[in-house]
Amino acid sequence: MDIGIQFLPFPPNPNLLSGRVIVVIDILRATSVMVHAMSRGASEIIPLATVEEAFRMAKAFPREFVILGGERKNRKIPGFDLGNSPKEYVAARVKGKKLILTTTNGTRAFHAVSSGKEILVGSFLNIGAIAQRCLELNKNIFIFPSGDEGNFSLEDTLCGGMLIDLITQKEKKQIILSDASSSAQILYQRFKDNLLQAFHLSHHGKELINRGFEDDLVYCAQIDMTGIVPEFKAGVIRVK
Amino acid sequence: MDIGIQFLPFPPNPNLLSGRVIVVIDILRATSVMVHAMSRGASEIIPLATVEEAFRMAKAFPREFVILGGERKNRKIPGFDLGNSPKEYVAARVKGKKLILTTTNGTRAFHAVSSGKEILVGSFLNIGAIAQRCLELNKNIFIFPSGDEGNFSLEDTLCGGMLIDLITQKEKKQIILSDASSSAQILYQRFKDNLLQAFHLSHHGKELINRGFEDDLVYCAQIDMTGIVPEFKAGVIRVK
């Protein structure tokens, strides 16, 4: 089994995606929001790149079945129902609803890897379940951190590193790591007893703290809050 | 002072280069060869992207003034004088000569950042001198690891991380690190007592060992063998 991770969020070479399980990660906060919303009963999530697409998509369904969520510059978008804090996505708001989500980094990332066959939504909230699913699928793995406005993101990479760490601990077969995957694992090991310390060091973490979202860092650092593995297919995220 | 490092070796946004000191790093082995050859008296180095350009350039000068050096697939190029092992570049071969060099990753990297104004040639062999020069120049810094055929390179990143570590220890002013620069520093700290261990872990290091170049890993891991700071300007590398 071979595990790769791409440190910068440009669209990968399609050859890298074919035949691999892909794990998309945007810890602060898109994939944490997705995993949380689905664990609270959202029926499906449609990740879209732009605000315009989100409004247009919402009009295609009866308003009461749809939740519009996401952010620009970390804040809730005018006219949207919810922002990009996982804890807003409580069952009373999202249960049985279709969530239309647009964020700066995370929702775009799904479209960058959309030619892949199995695309999983990863976060610390469901990291154990993601590792387990990867072991069951028994294929090569490609981890895609969504990054921070095109730049390398420490918190996304740490989550990728934790996934690598969990898989290498459990997999019996030889695992081949690239320089990037080894480095992600080493970075995770450096912070594994204090993920929040890394979130405070990260550019995006600092930005969220400055804008009053420090609680979200604590929330997104929770490990294995749920056992669900949302999957992106044909433009929609669902739990099998 | 702000220090950035780009983890993948595509041509950077020119805005990132303007007003910054740029440090190009290709530990295994191009910048190690360059620093070594200049420390042994080579008068200048012309880094070129292709073998054809190298042959053409060599014809422009009397043959006895020129050394043709470099590699493809880690091996010496047919018709060239020297390969890509630093220790081949002894004074008896290179003193007073113009070195025309073409390698897979390193020589291309200089052309990717050529719009920059001050472009330094970094390696473990001259890392202390590079740090000192950066402190004297007192500008923002952009570190450009040459990578491994387009991929992230552990050994180049460690050298970037050591440069960051040295500068942050000595600089009195506040230093702003990106997520990538913090990560490079952490990776360096993990291996600082045993750089060779990291070279053995790296994809390119393993490849060199498989092809019989293990000695080069030991050679390129030497710290501060020389105090020279070669600089790339208008297509040529010289020591001021």
Side-chain angles (χ1 to χ4, degrees):
Chain A
M1 180 187 284
D2 117 30
I3 310 180
I5 182 169
Q6 183 175 300
F7 277 163
L8 289 170
F10 54 81
N13 182 330
N15 294 337
L16 277 176
L17 302 179
S18 107
R20 288 171 179 259
V21 185
I22 298 154
V23 182
V24 175
I25 297 171
D26 184 7
I27 295 304
L28 299 175
R29 301 165 284 175
T31 58
S32 300
V33 161
M34 291 169 176
V35 170
H36 191 265
M38 299 218 83
S39 79
R40 296 307 185 249
S43 61
E44 58 183 41
I45 300 173
I46 305 179
L48 294 172
T50 70
V51 173
E52 295 66 35
E53 286 174 281
F55 277 124
R56 204 162 31 206
M57 178 69 79
K59 282 189 189 144
F61 304 96
R63 193 66 184 89
E64 67 270 27
F65 295 150
V66 167
I67 289 278
L68 267 171
E71 56 72 36
R72 283 299 178 275
K73 299 188 177 163
N74 297 314
R75 298 195 187 285
K76 197 178 107 174
I77 297 159
F80 272 41
D81 303 306
L82 298 175
N84 201 31
S85 293
K87 62 179 189 299
E88 296 177 75
Y89 291 74
V90 293
R93 295 302 299 267
V94 302
K95 198 170 165 67
K97 301 274 178 80
K98 183 191 297 288
L99 168 60
I100 297 171
L101 192 74
T102 180
T103 70
T104 307
N105 306 304
T107 57
R108 288 162 201 266
F110 286 93
H111 296 280
V113 299
S114 60
S115 71
K117 226 179 133 198
E118 275 142 333
I119 304 168
L120 312 182
V121 182
S123 70
F124 287 111
L125 306 179
N126 68 337
I127 187 78
I130 291 281
Q132 191 52 41
R133 175 69 60 87
C134 287
L135 288 162
E136 286 160 13
L137 289 168
N138 191 27
K139 291 182 179 173
N140 294 333
I141 298 166
F142 183 78
I143 301 172
F144 192 69
S146 307
D148 179 11
E149 305 206 21
N151 297 311
F152 172 86
S153 153
L154 178 58
E155 65 278 8
D156 293 351
T157 304
L158 291 188
C159 184
M162 181 170 183
L163 180 58
I164 294 164
D165 207 62
L166 291 172
I167 293 172
T168 49
Q169 277 171 37
K170 291 187 185 168
E171 175 61 49
K172 301 277 186 298
K173 284 189 299 191
Q174 199 205 356
I175 292 181
I176 298 164
L177 298 183
S178 64
D179 285 20
S181 336
S182 299
S183 298
Q185 187 180 12
I186 289 165
L187 289 168
Y188 162 67
Q189 286 165 344
R190 163 70 182 74
F191 289 107
K192 70 177 177 179
D193 298 323
N194 195 347
L195 290 175
L196 261 186
Q197 187 194 1
F199 290 14
H200 280 254
L201 186 65
S202 97
H203 173 260
H204 195 49
K206 285 179 193 149
E207 209 170 59
L208 286 172
I209 292 170
N210 286 340
R211 298 191 180 203
F213 294 109
E214 186 162 359
D215 284 0
D216 283 356
L217 274 60
V218 180
Y219 211 86
C220 296
Q222 295 174 90
I223 289 169
D224 291 339
M225 167 209 266
T226 171
I228 63 167
V229 178
E231 200 170 329
F232 177 77
K233 194 161 250 163
V236 183
I237 292 166
R238 290 194 184 90
V239 175
K240 270 188 185 163
Chain B
M1 180 186 284
D2 116 31
I3 310 180
I5 182 168
Q6 183 175 299
F7 278 164
L8 289 171
F10 54 81
N13 181 328
N15 294 337
L16 277 176
L17 302 179
S18 108
R20 288 171 178 259
V21 185
I22 298 154
V23 182
V24 175
I25 297 170
D26 184 7
I27 295 305
L28 298 176
R29 301 164 286 174
T31 59
S32 300
V33 161
M34 290 169 177
V35 169
H36 191 265
M38 299 219 83
S39 78
R40 297 307 186 249
S43 61
E44 58 182 41
I45 300 173
I46 304 178
L48 294 171
T50 70
V51 173
E52 295 67 34
E53 286 174 280
F55 277 124
R56 203 161 32 203
M57 178 67 79
K59 283 189 188 143
F61 304 96
R63 193 66 184 90
E64 66 271 26
F65 295 149
V66 168
I67 290 278
L68 267 170
E71 56 73 35
R72 283 299 178 275
K73 298 186 176 164
N74 297 313
R75 299 195 186 283
K76 197 177 106 171
I77 297 159
F80 272 41
D81 302 306
L82 297 174
N84 202 31
S85 292
K87 63 180 189 299
E88 297 176 74
Y89 291 74
V90 293
R93 295 301 299 268
V94 302
K95 199 171 164 66
K97 300 273 178 79
K98 183 190 299 287
L99 168 59
I100 295 170
L101 191 72
T102 180
T103 70
T104 308
N105 306 303
T107 57
R108 287 162 201 266
F110 285 93
H111 296 281
V113 299
S114 61
S115 70
K117 226 179 134 197
E118 276 143 333
I119 304 168
L120 312 182
V121 183
S123 70
F124 287 111
L125 307 179
N126 68 337
I127 187 78
I130 290 281
Q132 190 52 42
R133 175 69 60 86
C134 287
L135 288 163
E136 287 160 12
L137 289 168
N138 192 28
K139 290 180 180 175
N140 293 334
I141 299 166
F142 183 78
I143 302 171
F144 192 70
S146 307
D148 179 13
E149 305 206 22
N151 296 311
F152 172 87
S153 153
L154 178 59
E155 65 278 7
D156 293 351
T157 303
L158 290 188
C159 184
M162 181 170 183
L163 180 59
I164 295 164
D165 206 62
L166 291 172
I167 293 172
T168 49
Q169 278 171 37
K170 291 187 183 170
E171 175 60 50
K172 301 277 185 298
K173 285 189 298 191
Q174 199 205 356
I175 293 180
I176 298 164
L177 298 183
S178 64
D179 285 21
S181 334
S182 298
S183 298
Q185 187 179 13
I186 290 165
L187 289 168
Y188 162 67
Q189 286 165 344
R190 163 70 181 76
F191 289 106
K192 70 177 177 179
D193 299 323
N194 196 347
L195 290 174
L196 261 187
Q197 187 195 0
F199 291 14
H200 280 254
L201 186 66
S202 97
H203 174 260
H204 195 50
K206 285 179 193 149
E207 208 170 60
L208 285 172
I209 293 170
N210 286 340
R211 296 188 182 207
F213 294 110
E214 186 164 358
D215 284 359
D216 283 356
L217 274 61
V218 180
Y219 211 86
C220 295
Q222 296 174 90
I223 289 169
D224 292 338
M225 166 207 265
T226 172
I228 63 168
V229 178
E231 200 170 329
F232 176 77
K233 194 161 252 165
V236 183
I237 292 167
R238 291 193 182 92
V239 175
K240 269 188 186 165

